[in-house]
Amino acid sequence: MTDVVLQSPDVKLAADSNQVLNYQANSYNYITQLFGAQLPAIRNGFFNAHLSKGFIIQPHWHTNVTEMVFVISGELITSVFDPFTQKLVTYQLKPGQVSIFPKGWFHWIVAVSDQVHFLTIFDQPTPDIVYGSDFLRTVPKEVIQRAYCISEEDYAKAVAPLKESVIIGPPPGCNLAGSNAGPGNKGAFAESAAPNSRVAPRSGAAARQQPGAYPPYPAGLR
């Protein structure tokens, strides 16, 4: 089978997964990416993610890929909803351990230690992603009331803070009781959170280079 990418005399077979910033909550909680747009010869793709204790990769699902989580450092919990058993499947992972999110299954990831570093590896060069926050803030409150008997006022109030996709949560300013990731959590929002930066991975043109370096985001990358 002909592969025009691999047959090119200028084929590129290496890349730096730290260079293209996908999303940043602050300098301790961010995601970089390496997909087909950055390395055309790649046959899979992945996010390179860093989280502090209590931070979460928000609930979401993928329409076109199965995902594998591989832990490099720290500990995290993966949770996925099994549509066949109607049960939540949860694993606590340490370095070197993996878990799988089958295509189309709703899932999320929570850091249970500081300095968590992990990869989420897909079986296609670029994943499609449906974020829970986008769904929640888009569904009309009238539909929620009719479907689930939740008052329009209560639902509107609950989703009011969701002004954009919250890829890494909780969002800045969240001070709910019981939250482990708040202004008092060192290494998390103890610093001033930088403005959220979301870049959709499906477009190579959309993914942008990180304009500046600030610890612990790798210094020297442009």
Side-chain angles (χ1 to χ4, degrees), residues 18 21 24 27 30 209-222:
N18 298 299
L21 182 67
Q24 177 181 343
S27 60
Y30 60 91
Q209 299 288 336
Q210 172 62 14
Y214 39 155
Y217 189 86
L221 297 177
R222 297 292 186 269

Side-chain angles (χ1 to χ4, degrees), residues 129-161:
I129 308 174
V130 182
Y131 293 109
S133 59
D134 292 340
F135 177 80
L136 291 172
R137 65 192 177 92
T138 302
V139 177
K141 58 184 183 295
E142 298 85 0
V143 172
I144 295 297
Q145 177 171 290
R146 184 175 296 273
Y148 307 114
C149 198
I150 297 173
S151 77
E152 294 182 16
E153 294 76 14
D154 289 346
Y155 186 75
K157 183 178 180 180
V159 301

Side-chain angles (χ1 to χ4, degrees), residues 19-69:
Q19 285 193 331
V20 179
L21 182 67
N22 176 273
Y23 187 86
Q24 177 181 343
N26 58 35
S27 60
Y28 292 88
N29 296 273
Y30 60 91
I31 303 168
T32 56
Q33 69 180 51
L34 185 65
F35 293 118
Q38 289 81 52
L39 186 62
I42 200 169
R43 291 299 177 262
N44 54 9
F46 63 91
F47 286 124
N48 185 355
H50 298 260
L51 293 180
S52 298
K53 183 177 180 180
F55 278 78
I56 182 172
I57 303 295
Q58 72 149 309
H60 63 283
W61 68 94
H62 306 283
T63 62
N64 67 328
V65 293
T66 289
E67 177 178 359
M68 181 178 73
V69 178

